[in-house]
């Protein structure tokens, strides 16, 4: 079974919609991450959860709202997004949330905001 | 400023050629880590290597090798005898902690290996 799964793989939404991205890890890890990958821009770390507690929020707009109900699941709730939010959203997990940990990535959700 | 520069946007080579992907970084921290990741067309980033700032030993793993030089702030990645399966986008990343930890990724180098 794939270590980190993400659903949906593709999502198209209007600016007034509300949707959620889901990430699940089957590796027994304690830390999970959301990244944004925009075209021609460096990968940006958005949020970090360690043992279900949010430990990092890198100045992400409030229209992105993460949720981590347990160490295996991570959600990214989206509302009133802008076209510039269109990107590949990657989820990752690592053993303990140490910054030196190896992170294991999911395949991403390709989001298009119309 | 803390940054990672991958000046090569795209490289094309013919199978079996050697290819080097450049990574130059800037940081004020004395303790930091450098990573390389591979992103194949399927999308997920795959970890390749981690190196801390106190370990300048070069590393070889099969056809992959890495040259870390603090004097030039570079952490270059060489693929020997490239194969079509090496075609991907490769990212270099700098991780450091200044109160909270920060990940700085380069913009990536797209490698195309032609048969």
């Amino acid at each position: 079974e794939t270590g980190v799964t993400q659903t949906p793989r593709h999502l198209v939404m209007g600016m007034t919609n509300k949707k959620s991205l889901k990430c699940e890890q089957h590796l027994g890890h304690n830390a999970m991450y959301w990244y944004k990958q925009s075209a021609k821009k460096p990968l940006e770390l958005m949020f970090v959860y360690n043992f279900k507690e949010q430990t990092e929020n890198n100045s992400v707009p409030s229209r992105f709202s993460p949720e981590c109900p347990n160490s295996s699941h991570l959600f990214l709730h989206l509302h009133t997004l802008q076209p510039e939010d269109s990107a590949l959203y990657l989820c990752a997990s690592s053993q303990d949330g140490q910054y030196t940990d190896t992170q294991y990535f999911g395949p991403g959700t390709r989001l298009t905001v119309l | 400023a803390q940054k990672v520069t991958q000046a090569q946007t795209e490289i094309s080579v013919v199978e079996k050629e050697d290819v080097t992907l450049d990574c130059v970084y800037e940081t004020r921290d004395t303790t930091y880590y450098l990573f390389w990741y591979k992103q194949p067309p399927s999308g997920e980033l795959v970890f390749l290597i981690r190196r801390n700032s106190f370990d300048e030993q070069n590393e070889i793993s099969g056809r992959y090798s890495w040259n870390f030089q603090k004097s030039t702030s570079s952490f270059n990645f060489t693929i020997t005898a490239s194969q079509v399966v090496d075609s991907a986008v490769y990212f270099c990343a700098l991780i450091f902690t200044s109160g909270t930890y920060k990940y700085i990724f380069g913009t990536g180098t797209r490698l195309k290996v032609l048969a």
Side-chain angles (χ1 to χ4, degrees):
Chain A
E1 186 175 7
T2 306
V4 180
T5 57
Q6 291 186 243
T7 53
R9 293 295 308 275
H10 301 272
L11 178 63
V12 180
M13 59 187 288
M15 290 191 285
T16 58
N17 292 158
K18 289 185 180 181
K19 296 286 184 184
S20 296
L21 310 185
K22 179 182 176 183
C23 175
E24 184 172 359
Q25 58 96 359
H26 310 276
L27 301 169
H29 289 165
N30 297 305
M32 296 187 78
Y33 310 75
W34 278 119
Y35 286 86
K36 176 183 179 182
Q37 186 176 24
S38 305
K40 303 193 189 309
K41 284 187 172 182
L43 200 64
E44 302 170 59
L45 178 63
M46 301 174 71
F47 300 105
V48 180
Y49 276 83
N50 201 8
F51 291 91
K52 301 188 298 177
E53 298 296 322
Q54 188 180 121
T55 56
E56 297 284 338
N57 176 343
N58 286 327
S59 304
V60 180
S62 60
R63 57 185 184 271
F64 294 92
S65 174
E67 178 190 1
C68 188
N70 54 62
S71 293
S72 299
H73 293 86
L74 184 65
F75 295 89
L76 188 63
H77 303 300
L78 316 171
H79 64 98
T80 58
L81 293 192
Q82 305 298 311
E84 60 265 28
D85 297 322
S86 298
L88 180 68
Y89 288 84
L90 291 163
C91 174
S93 71
S94 71
Q95 186 61 54
D96 290 314
Q98 299 298 313
Y99 74 110
T100 56
D101 279 356
T102 297
Q103 294 184 21
Y104 295 83
F105 285 79
T109 295
R110 174 72 61 188
L111 174 67
T112 302
V113 181
L114 301 177
Chain B
Q2 320 261 18
K3 65 187 285 192
V4 173
T5 301
Q6 294 181 258
Q8 304 149 308
T9 305
E10 185 169 315
I11 302 175
S12 292
V13 298
V14 176
E15 207 170 19
K16 297 184 184 175
E17 285 185 1
D18 298 347
V19 59
T20 295
L21 309 182
D22 298 333
C23 174
V24 175
Y25 63 94
E26 294 178 33
T27 180
R28 294 184 297 270
D29 290 51
T30 55
T31 302
Y32 53 88
Y33 283 74
L34 295 162
F35 288 69
W36 274 96
Y37 286 90
K38 173 182 179 180
Q39 186 176 37
S42 52
E44 74 281 7
L45 271 74
V46 177
F47 166 80
L48 296 178
I49 190 172
R50 174 181 62 238
R51 174 68 71 222
N52 75 54
S53 52
F54 301 106
D55 181 3
E56 285 193 74
Q57 281 192 350
N58 292 327
E59 179 147 345
I60 298 174
S61 176
R63 296 184 296 106
Y64 295 170
S65 62
W66 290 269
N67 183 358
F68 178 29
Q69 293 198 344
K70 288 178 74 171
S71 60
T72 55
S73 296
S74 65
F75 187 41
N76 296 337
F77 172 34
T78 297
I79 302 175
T80 303
S82 59
Q83 300 175 2
V84 173
V85 294
D86 296 327
S87 297
V89 182
Y90 291 86
F91 291 93
C92 180
L94 167 69
I95 290 89
F96 59 92
T97 177
S98 300
T100 62
Y101 60 81
K102 300 294 182 187
Y103 284 74
I104 309 293
F105 280 79
T107 49
T109 297
R110 181 177 298 279
L111 175 65
K112 293 184 178 180
V113 181
L114 308 172

